[in-house]
Amino acid sequence: MWLKDSSIGRKLVMSITGTFLVLFLLFHGTMNLCLVIDDIFGTTAYNWICSMLGANWYAIIGTLIIALAVVVHFAYAIVLTIQNRRARGNDRYAVEARQEGVDWASKNMLALGIIVLGFIVLHLYNFWFKMQFAELTGIHTSMFDPHDGSTIVKALFTDGWCGIVYCLLYIVWLCALWFHLSHGVWSALQTMGLSNTKWLARIKVIGTVVATLTVGLFMVVILYFLGVNIGQMCA
Amino acid sequence: MDSYIDIKVRVWRQAGPKAQGHFETYELKHVFQGASFLEMIDILNEQLISEHKDPIAFDHDCREGICGMCSMYVNGHPHGPDSAITTCQLHMRKFHDGETITVEPWRSRAFPVIKDLMVDRQAYDKIMQAGGFVSVNTGGVPDANAIPIPKPIADEAMDAASCIGCGACAAACKNGSAMLFVAAKVSQLNLLPQGKAEKHQRAKAMLQKMDELGFGNCTNTGACAAECPKQVSLTHIARLNRDFIGAKFCD
Ligand code: HEM
Ligand code: SF4
Ligand code: FES
């Protein structure tokens, strides 16, 4: 099967799963903005979206597809990196200079990905476990109502010093994700063959914009709750 | 103004493919900065011979930047610190008095060291043999201008064809990938009407050979294009990806 046996095939799988995850994150980030809007205007948009994404069959299928994409992306990342280290050989250069135009992120994609993955696990524990998982199994995983996502999120990030620590952890996560995507997005387009002399510079700009937009959506929410929390602590 | 400098050259010495290699540092006095890097190595070898030592084995041929033989990793860069040149086009004026210059062979699993700075680059020849040609029927030679080719396409093919098969791309790549070379060699033919007929077949055969020979998976890091003496562009890699993926969908 060429998606497994050829280098371009393997890269195509990386790029398609990666792009899919980016699209998911864009949706997720947009949905999160409702948290801020709800908090300011007293609306309940976030919980309304959550109610559609709870224990419904389509939400479960969606979750499984996303999980599959993460697993495939991760598995291929490991295989690719091992193959590439082997191709490089055991003899390393004594002197290795930096090349101009080669960004740091592109050389550390696996490390960045592992940081991102580590936080995904934390994040699933923080929220998914208390929301969709609790709804599905009926087990009380927290003191909150699993349907009240908005309160669960707010409680975590505005819980005094603990909230500040969580905000900082999430900011570290988002930074790692930004670096991963700053290379990942344009690299995915290039892998799919969507580049030429005119478009190479353009897809690099598109990559930076998409990375910043994706991370920015989440960052706004974190910074908002950080502000609210600090405000409460000072009051 | 070019003057004379005293330098130390730290060179990788390895007696044979299986032998354990090591660095050896040689002092070289009064080197003219107008000399090319390979001339400097020649002078160093004269000195070694006069001291009854084994001269440094290194590949070279044209000494004018067209054959691609002069594989040397100089101070952390393939072909040295200058951009868009081969080692034979590098001059000693890029170095200063008292400097220690580190010279290493290409290091990549698909390019095993033969001796000192010489590596075996037959892997690239094998990739060429897999598909880097246009099949022709015997008969009269057709007129070269009978097939009109738009100038931008001819230029793009020419840029790809400027690849001299030196191996700097794979040597610089953190993934040990030969994608820039393969992409250049596929592009130079796939862009032109004569080569288009076999474009899918060519992309598949050459990529398969590259994978088979143990080169790595390209992650678009771009060290290859930054170090390529002929400034072959990453966009050729995108074309190879396109042609390969297209070929697979046509299967
Ligand atoms: C939500 C999370 C993630 C997103 C949105 C994402 C996105 C992407 C994208 C778009 C690419 C580019 C594909 C290409 O170059 O063809 C990529 C590549 C890569 N990702 Fe991820 N990724 C994520 C998580 C991870 C994780 C958890 C790992 C593993 C530890 C990982 C490791 C890699 C590696 C090694 C590459 C290949 C490097 C390269 O092609 O330059 N990623 N990712
Ligand atoms: S693409 Fe450039 S670096 Fe690679 S073999 Fe050709 S000339 Fe050398
Ligand atoms: S010796 Fe021919 S390119 Fe340097």
Side-chain angles (χ1 to χ4, degrees):
Chain A
M1 179 59 179
W2 66 281
L3 292 174
K4 173 167 77 51
D5 298 331
S6 71
S7 58
I8 295 181
R10 287 187 289 266
K11 282 296 315 222
L12 187 64
V13 172
M14 282 303 292
S15 66
I16 290 173
T17 51
T19 309
F20 174 75
L21 291 174
V22 171
L23 293 178
F24 162 68
L25 286 182
L26 281 172
F27 160 74
H28 191 341
T30 312
M31 152 179 166
N32 286 6
L33 281 187
C34 294
L35 282 166
V36 175
I37 295 171
D38 286 354
D39 202 57
I40 296 174
F41 299 106
T43 47
T44 54
Y46 184 78
N47 279 354
W48 179 74
I49 300 175
C50 287
S51 71
M52 294 200 300
L53 297 178
N56 305 314
W57 62 269
Y58 50 84
I60 295 169
I61 292 177
T63 309
L64 289 177
I65 294 176
I66 295 161
L68 183 71
V70 173
V71 169
V72 171
H73 190 80
F74 181 66
Y76 269 65
I78 300 280
V79 170
L80 237 64
T81 308
I82 291 174
Q83 286 180 337
N84 289 350
R85 276 198 76 87
R86 204 182 299 142
R88 191 80 199 78
N90 289 326
D91 299 320
R92 303 278 141 170
Y93 291 110
V95 182
E96 234 169 323
R98 270 199 73 246
Q99 290 96 1
E100 229 174 283
V102 174
D103 42 321
W104 172 83
S106 72
K107 295 188 161 190
N108 296 285
M109 289 296 272
L110 184 72
L112 289 166
I114 288 175
I115 298 177
V116 171
L117 189 68
F119 281 100
I120 289 178
V121 174
L122 176 70
H123 175 69
L124 290 179
Y125 168 72
N126 284 160
F127 298 125
W128 175 79
F129 183 59
K130 295 176 189 163
M131 292 156 80
Q132 194 181 46
F133 180 81
E135 275 188 54
L136 282 177
T137 57
I139 300 172
H140 288 285
T141 51
S142 73
M143 59 193 201
F144 299 104
D145 173 8
H147 299 95
D148 191 5
S150 165
T151 306
I152 296 178
V153 176
K154 205 174 161 192
L156 185 79
F157 290 123
T158 57
D159 180 22
W161 284 110
C162 200
I164 291 186
V165 170
Y166 266 115
C167 284
L168 292 180
L169 283 175
Y170 272 71
I171 289 172
V172 170
W173 179 18
L174 291 176
C175 289
L177 183 64
W178 186 86
F179 278 107
H180 194 78
L181 295 185
S182 70
H183 177 69
V185 173
W186 87 262
S187 171
L189 294 173
Q190 161 96 357
T191 300
M192 294 173 197
L194 304 174
S195 166
N196 61 25
T197 21
K198 258 207 196 100
W199 278 86
L200 180 61
R202 293 179 187 172
I203 61 172
K204 285 192 175 181
V205 173
I206 292 173
T208 311
V209 170
V210 170
T212 309
L213 186 67
T214 311
V215 169
L217 287 170
F218 291 93
M219 197 62 102
V220 167
V221 178
I222 296 291
L223 293 180
Y224 173 78
F225 282 124
L226 186 64
V228 169
N229 188 20
I230 291 175
Q232 280 173 359
M233 286 170 76
C234 294
Chain B
M1 262 301 283
D2 290 342
S3 58
Y4 290 85
I5 53 173
D6 295 342
I7 51 170
K8 287 202 182 90
V9 193
R10 185 166 160 249
V11 191
W12 183 257
R13 302 303 309 259
Q14 183 172 336
K18 295 251 149 47
Q20 180 73 41
H22 65 281
F23 279 105
E24 196 87 57
T25 305
Y26 305 103
E27 279 193 44
L28 198 56
K29 296 218 177 313
H30 209 61
V31 180
F32 184 51
Q33 285 187 302
S36 79
F37 197 83
L38 297 191
E39 281 167 334
M40 182 277 288
I41 301 278
D42 289 336
I43 297 166
L44 175 58
N45 273 344
E46 293 287 338
Q47 181 178 311
L48 290 177
I49 290 168
S50 71
E51 292 167 0
H52 304 288
K53 287 185 188 148
D54 198 19
I56 301 158
F58 66 103
D59 267 324
H60 62 109
D61 187 14
C62 70
R63 298 212 176 195
E64 56 176 359
I66 55 170
C67 75
M69 284 309 282
C70 49
S71 53
M72 288 185 193
Y73 220 81
V74 183
N75 282 353
H77 290 282
H79 302 129
D82 213 350
S83 61
I85 54 158
T86 51
T87 317
C88 56
Q89 294 171 302
L90 177 66
H91 283 81
M92 294 311 294
R93 64 179 70 95
K94 283 280 157 191
F95 304 92
H96 55 78
D97 194 42
E99 186 167 350
T100 301
I101 305 169
T102 305
V103 192
E104 302 172 71
W106 283 178
R107 297 190 193 279
S108 206
R109 198 181 58 141
F111 292 155
V113 172
I114 300 170
K115 186 170 191 231
D116 298 339
L117 302 175
M118 288 172 104
V119 296
D120 179 353
R121 278 171 284 178
Q122 283 181 62
Y124 271 16
D125 298 334
K126 289 179 190 155
I127 293 173
M128 288 306 279
Q129 285 157 9
F133 49 79
V134 173
S135 312
V136 287
N137 296 321
T138 50
V141 182
D143 181 58
N145 292 319
I147 309 168
I149 299 167
K151 176 87 165 100
I153 296 199
D155 285 349
E156 183 98 359
M158 195 62 206
D159 285 347
S162 68
C163 163
I164 52 178
C166 63
C169 40
C173 177
K174 89 178 205 342
N175 305 318
S177 174
M179 277 291 264
L180 193 65
F181 166 76
V182 179
K185 295 304 179 191
V186 165
S187 288
Q188 67 181 12
L189 300 176
N190 281 14
L191 276 162
L192 299 176
Q194 295 90 336
K196 260 213 169 74
E198 293 167 300
K199 90 176 192 185
H200 283 166
Q201 157 63 20
R202 179 176 301 112
K204 280 193 291 189
M206 291 179 80
L207 189 90
Q208 192 189 352
K209 188 50 94 179
M210 174 190 117
D211 291 345
E212 192 184 303
L213 290 166
F215 289 101
N217 308 274
C218 169
T219 65
N220 303 314
T221 301
C224 51
E227 296 289 11
C228 172
K230 300 297 158 185
Q231 300 186 295
V232 171
S233 156
L234 286 182
T235 54
H236 296 295
I237 294 182
R239 177 175 306 101
L240 170 60
N241 292 338
R242 223 161 34 232
D243 289 352
F244 181 83
I245 295 167
K248 285 298 176 184
F249 281 121
C250 290
D251 276 353

